[in-house]
Structures are given as C-alpha cells and as structure tokens.
Amino acid sequence: MKPLWWQNGVVYQIYPRSFKDTTGNGIGDLAGVIEKMDYLSDTLGIDAIWFSPINPSPMKDFGYDVADYCDVDPMFGDLATFDRLLAEAHKRGLKVLIDWVPNHSSDEHPWFLESRSSRDNPKRDWYIWRDPKPDGTPPNNWGSFFGGPAWTFDEKTGQYYMHQFVPGQPELNWRNPELKKAMLDGLRFWLDRGIDGFRMDVIGLIIKDEDLRDNPPNPDAPANLPANDLFSRLHQVYNMDQDDVHPVMREIRQVLDEYNERVAIGELWGPMDRWVKYYGTTGDELHLPFNFRLMHQPWSASAMRASVEEMEGALPPFAWPNYVLGNHDGTRLATRFGGQSQARVAAMMLLTLRGTPTVYYGEELGMENGVIPPEKIQDPQGINLGAERTRDVCRTPMQWDATEHAGFSNVEPWLPVSADYRTRNVAAMLNDPTSILTLYRRLFALRKATPALNVGSYATVPTPAADCFVYERTDGPDRYLIALNFSGEAQTLSLFGNGTCLLSTQVDRTGEVDLQALSLRPHEGVIVKL
Ligand code: GLC
C-alpha cells in the first residue's frame, strides 16, 4: 500500500516568534517563513511544517493562550499572509500543519469575557467554574503546570475557574455540547482554508474527571521542588487521560475525515498504556500521538533501544509510530546529550527509525541551549518556577548568517541570539561538506529516497559492543544497517558480510566496509547498505 505523506515524510517544527523577522520588531512572522520557504523545501527537503500557534493572543504563554481560534495575530501577519504562505508551501509540495489549542483559551477570548460576566451568562458553562470549598479554598487540590493552584477566584461572580497553566489560560469545558461544536467548527475553518492537519496541544487534558476529584499525592516527587510547584507533588490521575476523552477524540477525528488526507497529531505525555489508546481501538482517533519517550532517555544505547523496542511492542498493527527528540518545551539536543557529536548521532537515530520524525528548527545547525540572563526570561514557567525551568533556552532566534542578530532581524530580538551564531549559522554551514547541516540534509535526502528507511520494517541487531545501538531497516530485498556508537570510545562491531557505508555522522566516509570488523569512532553513527 502506498504510504501516506505523514508516514514517510519528515515534520519540521517552526516556532514562529524565532524563525525570521521581516517587520523589524524583533519577533518572527509569517512573511519570514515565506521568505525562507526555499530553505525548507530545497535546502532541507523536509515534507511538512508545523507552526506553534499563530492565532491572536495576549502572549501570556506565547500563543498557547488563544483569543480567537479563527484568525492570525497581527504580530505574525494576517489571514491573507497565511493563505499566501499555504500557497507557497503547497506549490513546493510542502504540507502545513498548525497548532490547535483546545484545552484552554486566553482569558481575553470573547467567550471567556462573556463566561465570567455573570453566573447565568449563556457561556458560563463553556469554562470550568466551581464554588469555593466552605473555607474559601479552591475546589480541589490540582496544581498548575506553571506553579500555584489550578484555580483562580473571580471576585465578581464568587466562583473559581480552572486553569492548569497560567491564570490567563482558562480551561474550556468540552462536556458542554455548544462549546464542543464551536471548537470543532474552528477546525473546519482551517481545513476549509486548505491546511493539512493539526498538532493538538495537551489533548489528553480536554476531558477531566466528572467529579473533579483530588489527585493523589506523588510519593516520588523530588524533595527540592519550589514551594509553589503543587503540580509535581501530585499524581496526574483525574486531570488527564480519562476514559471518556476517547469518544471526543473520535468526534475530532471525524471532522478531519470529512476532508482528504489530513493528519491529527496530538501532544500526550502519559504512560504507554494510556498513550497508546489515543490511536483509537481501530485507528479512529489520532494518526500520531506524539511519542516523546526518547526525549526522556539518558545518553545511553541501551536506554534508547529499550524505549524503541517498548514502543514497537506496544503498537497495535494499524498504528504508525513517530519520534520526537526536541521541541519548544525542551532543551537543545547538543546540550542535553553532551556535545555536537552526540547531537549528530541523535539526528541519525531520529531520521532512521521506523516512524514519522519531527525535527525542531535549528537542530539542523546543532543549536545549543541559549544563555538567558535572569532579567531577560520570558517564559512563564521560568518566571514562576525558577530560571532553570525556563523554556526560553530552546526558543532563541534561528541563526541564518554571521551578520548582527544572526540575520534573524535587524533589531535586537525578543530573546538573545546565541553567542555561537557567527560560526553556527546556515550560511556558514551550508557549504561546509562535513557540517551538521550537511549531515541533516544528507539524512533527509537519504530517508526520502529510501523506502526501507522511511516505511521499512525495524529489527534490533544484538551486539556485545559497549553502548552501541544497532538496527536494521528492511523493505523487501533492500536492507540497511544503522550502527550508532553512544560511547566516547571507539568500538568495533562483529557482524556478518560486507556492506557499503552510505553516510557517517562525521560526513567524511563512504564505501565498502567489512562488517566483521566495523569500526566506529567515538560518538559516530553510520548507515550501511547491506
Ligand atoms: C503544551 C505546549 C506548551 C504550552 C502548554 C500550554 O505543553 O507545548 O508550550 O505552554 O501546552 O498550552
């Protein structure tokens, strides 16, 4: 069967604030993405772009607080610019996905302004309002992901509203049929414009326990949590992944199925047994529940291998796998995994596993965590829970060239450009035959040209070599061996036969190899055609 585009393609995530500024306000915009469209389609050769939210927003959580689901924030452009972007992308065969934030809106959304205006407003029940406990405290013990309780008291109407993120992100009540209809119509708005799918923000949170029971304490919570981190002190039992989310997931999917070949990707964090249910019992929910498991593994071949095998083992036959290593909420791979060579091995792993890979902007340059002076912290998570928790580190401006502000903007950007931009930038790395950018381009091209590497089967190849992750990807007679050395020492693998090395993570060797003594340099990965 011919694979669908979201099965054999690569998704590239753009954090629009940080990609390319064309208006001179230090913040990226849609016109900037249009300007860089050839970079995406020709230089990189990715298949789909996904934008973090571009809707009108007071930006209390940088767009994840939506004030209008059917428009574009003027900071980023307008609907006409969006349509132009879509046309430019489609002209080049690129798919476009947008972020959809269904769990909460902004407190400045007109729906919430109405809802909070009085207890008997028709939209009161579009959000989650509850009376205080008799002693005046919040209705239950839930904490916000960003610190403090998940409830804010509204003086005027004498009730609390729920928000599991900042107070400016009140939670929508998906048990209300009118709200549900309004949200599903919001999906149709973008589908009618021609977008190819959605990445659905914290989708597992949209239905909560009907009785909003207290979450049980988490006995494993670290002892040194900030005092206001109520969230991490609890087990997330009643606030996410409820059984009755699944009928709603099917309704969401049915909207996409009214259109041709649109994809539903969802952000989900729970354990495997809860996560896998989001594929639906017959593949009738999400196409791709994001799989973040590799993000949480240490730099260890056995840990990565175990995670891949666990996922391969848990998937029902109809389910298509996917892998994410980095995004706008995490850390840069080179920083997390301890160096540039490790980031290269991680790239080779991500782009040769069985499943749709999502690559975060700037990873193709090996961008490292930004250094954000305390007074420049923007992210509410960093502001509320401490500088070490700020997600700003992975949101610094894209490094295009060595000119001032890295070619991102002609004024000082909203977050500082990383100090290494003079050498770590697209212009400098493009013509360097061994740069990480060249590696990514080769990996994208090889994956695209090689069915075994995109849709072929996966099998672990056991090896006694220390800290090496080795696997085979196969499509009929075409077989490829991927050997990744996670250790800082050279390793020699003893396998069978001969092969042709197509690519090394150092991009400096190809040609015949004797698999009985396949030597890998420290932190080197290779792809060998068998
Ligand atoms: C998701 C987003 C994150 C955002 C949060 C609230 O986790 O990825 O950036 O802060 O949801 O919408």
Side-chain angles (χ1 to χ4, degrees), residues 301 305 462-470 485 487 491-494 518 520:
R305 180 173 55 231
T463 170
D467 218 5
C468 288
F469 180 17
V470 185
N485 180 6
S487 80
Q491 301 290 342
T492 302
L493 305 183
S494 304
L518 175 61
L520 297 174

Side-chain angles (χ1 to χ4, degrees), residues 107-415:
D107 62 344
E108 294 179 30
H109 195 296
W111 297 343
F112 188 70
L113 297 180
E114 278 194 53
S115 184
R116 81 185 306 173
S117 66
S118 76
R119 286 202 190 197
D120 53 15
N121 183 277
K123 292 207 172 56
R124 183 69 169 180
D125 188 47
W126 284 33
Y127 291 83
I128 301 178
W129 292 95
R130 290 291 184 279
D131 289 332
K133 283 191 179 157
D135 64 357
T137 57
N140 70 16
N141 71 347
W142 298 1
S144 156
F145 284 74
F146 294 157
W151 297 93
T152 287
F153 188 66
D154 181 61
E155 293 288 342
K156 184 171 170 213
T157 57
Q159 286 189 310
Y160 281 92
Y161 69 87
M162 183 192 289
H163 55 84
Q164 297 189 73
F165 298 91
V166 294
Q169 292 169 298
E171 308 239 340
L172 293 159
N173 178 16
W174 275 81
R175 294 185 189 271
N176 178 301
E178 286 170 21
L179 173 279
K180 183 163 71 182
K181 179 174 179 311
M183 288 302 289
L184 298 182
D185 284 346
L187 289 178
R188 291 191 184 92
F189 173 86
W190 292 101
L191 291 163
D192 288 338
R193 287 199 110 76
I195 63 137
D196 301 288
F198 299 94
R199 173 271 190 188
M200 303 180 177
D201 190 62
V202 289
I203 191 74
L205 261 55
I206 62 173
I207 293 284
K208 301 100 173 78
D209 174 49
E210 188 118 47
D211 300 325
L212 302 183
R213 278 170 280 184
D214 275 357
N215 273 329
N218 172 11
D220 304 322
N224 58 350
L225 287 174
N228 64 346
D229 188 351
L230 310 181
F231 179 87
S232 309
R233 291 184 162 78
L234 301 174
H235 267 310
Q236 311 307 317
V237 174
Y238 294 115
N239 58 330
M240 59 172 71
D241 301 337
Q242 302 302 294
D243 286 341
D244 43 358
V245 76
H246 295 287
V248 183
M249 295 305 306
R250 290 195 283 277
E251 284 184 72
I252 292 171
R253 170 62 179 271
Q254 280 156 20
V255 173
L256 271 78
D257 287 348
E258 292 165 15
Y259 300 77
N260 200 16
E261 279 195 14
R262 312 298 167 99
V263 70
I265 304 180
E267 186 199 18
L268 290 153
W269 294 98
M272 187 69 85
D273 55 334
R274 274 157 47 173
W275 171 81
V276 76
K277 286 187 187 159
Y278 288 87
Y279 281 102
T281 46
T282 58
D284 52 357
E285 296 185 25
L286 294 174
H287 297 100
L288 302 174
F290 259 150
N291 170 24
F292 297 120
R293 284 179 186 75
L294 294 182
M295 273 173 85
H296 305 297
Q297 303 308 321
W299 186 249
S300 142
S302 58
M304 297 291 182
R305 180 173 55 231
S307 179
V308 169
E309 288 176 352
E310 185 198 16
M311 210 257 336
E312 285 275 344
L315 288 188
F318 56 78
W320 184 249
N322 76 91
Y323 292 96
V324 182
L325 274 181
N327 64 20
H328 65 291
D329 294 328
T331 50
R332 290 291 183 181
L333 304 192
T335 307
R336 189 187 329 145
F337 293 140
Q340 288 294 328
S341 305
Q342 289 90 323
R344 289 172 180 243
V345 173
M348 185 172 276
M349 175 175 73
L350 178 68
L351 291 165
T352 57
L353 283 170
R354 186 181 84 97
T356 307
T358 300
V359 175
Y360 185 50
Y361 86 94
E363 286 301 340
E364 72 272 30
L365 307 178
M367 276 175 67
E368 303 187 354
N369 277 5
V371 178
I372 316 292
E375 71 282 3
K376 293 232 163 114
I377 292 180
Q378 306 281 333
D379 175 23
Q381 181 167 285
I383 292 170
N384 298 338
L385 292 172
E388 66 289 349
R389 296 274 295 271
T390 189
R391 298 171 295 176
D392 296 326
V393 294
C394 65
R395 299 174 177 178
T396 60
M398 178 68 175
Q399 297 166 197
W400 294 106
D401 59 39
T403 62
E404 204 186 2
H405 312 307
F408 164 75
S409 175
N410 52 19
V411 299
E412 189 176 331
W414 75 288
L415 280 175

Side-chain angles (χ1 to χ4, degrees), residues 431-443:
N431 298 318
D432 172 350
T434 63
S435 70
I436 186 169
L437 178 56
T438 302
L439 172 67
Y440 265 93
R441 296 176 68 202
R442 297 280 299 276
L443 284 167

Side-chain angles (χ1 to χ4, degrees), residues 448-463:
K448 182 168 284 182
T450 314
L453 290 179
N454 56 60
V455 292
S457 61
Y458 165 91
T460 301
V461 175
T463 170

